[in-house]
Amino acid sequence: MLDWFYRLPIFTGVSGSVFRGMATLSGGVLGGRVIGLVAIPILTRIYEPADFGALSVFTALIMLLSPFVSLRYPVAIPLPRRDRLAFSLVALSFLLVLGNGLIVSVLMWMFAPIILSALSMEVLIPYWYVIVIGLVASTIFEILSAWSTRRKDYGPLARASVYQSFSGSAIKVSLGVLIAGPIGLLLGQIVSFSGGCGMLLSRYATEFRGISGKLRMGKAARLYRGFALHRLPAEALLAGSLQLPVILVAGRYSAALAGQYGLAISMIAVPSTLIVRSLSKAFYAEIASIGLKRIGEIKAITIATIKRLLLVGIPIAAMMWLVGQEASVLLFGSKWAEAGRFVELLSLVLFSSLVAAPIMRLLDLLREQKLLLAINGFRLCIVLAVFGYLPSLNYTLFDVVFVYSSAMLCLHACSGWLVLHRLNVNAEERRVA
């Protein structure tokens, strides 16, 4: 049915398979995102802001803890040339999930009331085990999807994305009608994280059995320890800067305001997911194919990209700034007016990230991983200072979010300038050499 589509020039030649895979995965992600968007106006009329606050903190905790559960070894699964070594990484990842999942279970059993009460999330205390289930299930899906990526088996991953969104939304809606409280949102979110695990496992079970003998987990752990030693800290800093705001909002203000803020973040994430990630991948693919030997060409492409991103970003951010609150009330109901105000304030973050995120991929090409780590660390410091300290000075949450948005605008601008500076330095070094 789509044969004509895949016969387009972009899907032919030596890089055709890469773009075909990207198109397949993007189609699944887009389909899942559309389903999720359609469900949100229904969910906001079934659940209260405090329920969404519980969902936001639940999701943030899982995103914060998941890198530590697997130590990021699943990311390395597509890399080994031999399947046996790759499957050793799969087995190692499952073993880490089992052991670290057990540790998290014991800690949550012992300290969940203390931790969740400090976050104004007493409503989650009876469901502490759901956090553990979501953490383990989402990590298992990451492992299986990494093997699917290794096999370039993109179709099942795309179908899993649609299944996750449809099934998760259906569970949230149906349980919300039947049961009071946030449990429907939590269970639906687990499916949104991990739905399709059974499908992927059954698909690869025979293959796994055929290569499961003589595992080399120790060798795999040593060869790819860099993912645990270096990638884990960088991702932990990034996850902290992204997820801590909603956790601190819940702890410093209330579950209801955390729900309002969480919904605003999910709305901002729509253009971020559909535009920023796609642009970042396309930009990186272009500059990676050129290489550092033609750095003058890379500079020209970078400047042209920044100009076009400004043309795209300004209208989107301006629209959110001007009509965010009115659109929120219209789509989600009058009780979500505060979420619309947060969308307006966060439009500054959307605009700056839209321009800066693709340019940051230059650091991968320049191998400036230390600079990336420093930027992520500084971003986390901003989050802790703004959301952790300003509430103690009696700042309203609207004031805090405005300061945060302004600070992130400055950080993205400075980061972009640093990246361009490093690009110029590299160009000068190569010219002299």
Side-chain angles (χ1 to χ4, degrees):
M1 183 177 178
L2 294 177
D3 289 346
W4 66 271
F5 180 70
Y6 288 112
R7 285 198 296 267
L8 293 174
I10 192 174
F11 301 117
T12 60
V14 294
S15 62
S17 61
V18 175
F19 285 97
R20 286 194 296 271
M22 287 178 60
T24 302
L25 285 173
S26 298
V29 172
L30 180 59
R33 179 64 67 177
V34 169
I35 294 172
L37 286 175
V38 170
I40 289 178
I42 303 173
L43 295 174
T44 53
R45 287 167 171 81
I46 296 175
Y47 294 96
E48 295 298 318
D51 297 327
F52 270 85
L55 173 64
S56 298
V57 172
F58 169 79
T59 303
L61 288 173
I62 290 178
M63 299 299 290
L64 274 176
L65 295 175
S66 59
F68 297 97
V69 171
S70 64
L71 301 184
R72 307 316 294 137
Y73 277 109
V75 180
I77 290 173
L79 300 180
R81 292 185 178 181
R82 297 182 180 275
D83 284 344
R84 194 172 301 279
L85 183 58
F87 184 71
S88 296
L89 285 169
V90 172
L92 173 64
S93 300
F94 272 110
L95 187 63
L96 287 169
V97 170
L98 178 63
N100 292 331
L102 182 61
I103 292 173
V104 173
S105 298
V106 173
L107 292 176
M108 290 299 293
W109 175 66
M110 295 174 62
F111 301 112
I114 299 174
I115 297 172
L116 296 175
S117 295
L119 301 177
S120 302
M121 284 293 133
E122 291 84 359
V123 67
L124 286 179
I125 293 176
Y127 309 119
W128 65 265
Y129 59 89
V130 179
I131 299 174
V132 179
I133 294 172
L135 181 62
V136 171
S138 62
T139 310
I140 289 174
F141 181 81
E142 181 188 20
I143 297 169
L144 295 173
S145 62
W147 186 267
S148 187
T149 299
R150 175 181 177 81
R151 286 286 176 257
K152 298 181 181 180
D153 206 3
Y154 302 121
L157 283 181
R159 290 192 293 273
S161 295
V162 176
Y163 172 80
Q164 287 172 348
S165 188
F166 179 80
S167 300
S169 298
I171 289 173
K172 291 174 183 178
V173 171
S174 58
L175 290 184
V177 173
L178 297 174
I179 305 174
I183 185 62
L185 289 174
L186 306 184
L187 295 178
Q189 192 71 359
I190 291 177
V191 175
S192 297
F193 281 148
S194 59
C197 280
M199 176 188 67
L200 294 178
L201 189 59
S202 62
R203 185 177 183 86
Y204 302 121
T206 302
E207 182 180 6
F208 285 167
R209 284 193 293 268
I211 57 177
S212 59
K214 297 182 180 178
L215 294 177
R216 299 178 178 179
M217 286 188 287
K219 180 181 179 180
R222 289 192 302 273
L223 285 176
Y224 296 97
R225 63 183 180 275
F227 285 85
L229 296 177
H230 304 299
R231 190 180 183 99
L232 175 60
E235 290 199 9
L237 288 175
L238 181 60
S241 64
L242 293 176
Q243 305 303 328
L244 278 178
V246 72
I247 294 176
L248 292 173
V249 168
R252 291 288 190 157
Y253 293 97
S254 67
L257 276 176
Q260 300 274 0
Y261 182 80
L263 182 63
I265 289 294
S266 67
M267 291 299 97
I268 292 292
V270 174
S272 177
T273 300
L274 297 181
I275 299 175
V276 174
R277 291 183 183 179
S278 299
L279 284 174
S280 296
K281 289 180 180 178
F283 177 74
Y284 185 64
E286 184 70 21
I287 62 174
S289 66
I290 295 173
L292 289 175
K293 291 183 178 180
R294 295 155 57 189
I295 201 162
E297 190 174 341
I298 290 178
K299 287 176 62 178
I301 291 175
T302 300
I303 298 301
T305 300
I306 292 174
K307 292 179 179 178
R308 292 182 182 181
L309 288 174
L310 288 171
L311 292 176
V312 172
I314 290 174
I316 295 176
M319 182 178 65
M320 288 189 166
W321 177 273
L322 293 173
V323 301
Q325 190 166 19
E326 291 78 4
S328 180
V329 171
L330 178 65
L331 292 173
F332 310 129
S334 57
K335 63 184 177 183
W336 294 99
E338 291 170 304
R341 182 59 182 144
F342 290 136
V343 168
E344 294 174 354
L345 296 173
L346 290 168
S347 62
L348 296 175
V349 178
L350 173 66
F351 167 70
S352 57
S353 63
L354 181 65
V355 177
I359 308 306
M360 295 300 291
R361 296 305 304 269
L362 282 168
L363 294 178
D364 293 327
L365 185 69
L366 298 172
R367 299 181 181 179
E368 294 278 0
Q369 303 303 323
K370 290 183 179 179
L371 180 56
L372 179 61
L373 186 63
I375 291 173
N376 286 343
F378 193 68
R379 176 174 178 157
L380 179 59
C381 290
I382 291 176
V383 168
L384 292 174
V386 173
F387 287 95
Y389 178 65
L390 291 186
S392 65
L393 301 179
N394 296 322
Y395 276 61
T396 69
L397 184 54
F398 296 111
D399 294 332
V400 169
V401 173
F402 177 72
V403 172
Y404 167 72
S405 297
S406 303
M408 293 308 299
L409 178 64
C410 295
L411 176 63
H412 287 146
C414 292
S415 299
W417 179 85
L418 281 173
V419 172
L420 293 176
H421 174 69
R422 291 306 306 162
L423 184 64
N424 289 328
V425 170
N426 192 282
E428 183 63 22
E429 290 175 349
R430 288 180 176 274
R431 187 186 65 80
V432 172

